[in-house]
Structure formats: structure tokens, C-alpha cells
Amino acid sequence: MDLPHILQFGAKAIGSGSEGAQQSLQESYHLLIFACQSGRGLPFFQSMTLQEALKIALTVLKQVMEEKVSGSNVEVAAVTPDKGFHRYPQNEVEAIISNL
């Protein structure tokens, strides 16, 4: 018997600036849902790539952090079916930040 895929995710901001960060995460989420419903034609869970999610998260950090966001003061990790838990090396984090 094939069971449906279950997808759940969450985004939470904590610490200094968390209220602004949480608001920005929610706004980004709602903008993506709207884009999916109004023309992209894909279900929401299929429309956001991991790279897009990383860019959103780092953009929010850039907006709310007092010091400049860099690979030396931000750590990024993801859990995926392919790699399981994966912590991004500093140079990869810096590459994402440089494209913001």
C-alpha cells in the first residue's frame, strides 16, 4: 500500500531581533503561497527549493542582525533525504550570502 508523502517544515526565530525576523519569515512564506496559487502552477511544497529557503533565511538574518552577516558568525544546516543532517561549510555559507 502506497502512503501519501507527508511534508512538514517550520521556521522559527529566537534571540535578539526575533520578532522582526519571525514576521519576515511569515511574510516570505505567505508571498510564496500566493505565487503558487496565482500562476506558478505548482503545489507549495514543490515550489521552494532548498537554495531558495536558505536565501530567505539568510536575508532575514541580514535584515535583523546588528553586525554584518558572514560565514564566520552564521552557521547553516539542513536535513534532507539525500544527505540527512548536513552542516554547510563556511565557504558555502559565504557564497550564499554574497548572492543576496
Side-chain angles (χ1 to χ4, degrees):
M1 166 169 52
D2 289 329
L3 298 175
H5 294 301
I6 298 172
L7 177 69
Q8 182 177 359
F9 67 95
K12 181 67 180 162
I14 59 172
S16 176
S18 63
E19 289 181 22
Q22 191 67 40
Q23 181 67 30
S24 293
L25 288 169
Q26 289 175 352
E27 288 172 4
S28 296
Y29 171 80
H30 291 297
L31 285 173
L32 284 169
I33 289 176
F34 177 76
C36 292
Q37 293 173 343
S38 64
R40 283 177 81 175
L42 297 172
F44 176 67
F45 68 88
Q46 292 178 347
S47 66
M48 181 189 285
T49 66
L50 180 56
Q51 289 301 313
E52 289 171 326
L54 292 173
K55 284 185 178 184
I56 288 170
L58 290 170
T59 298
V60 169
L61 279 177
K62 188 176 178 181
Q63 292 170 353
V64 300
M65 282 183 65
E66 293 177 8
E67 59 186 289
K68 185 178 178 182
V69 174
S70 71
S72 62
N73 64 0
V74 172
E75 292 184 32
V76 176
V79 180
T80 64
D82 297 333
K83 293 184 179 181
F85 178 84
H86 170 70
R87 184 172 163 212
Y88 286 77
Q90 184 175 348
N91 64 327
E92 289 183 32
V93 174
E94 289 173 353
I96 297 168
I97 292 169
S98 70
N99 289 321
L100 298 179

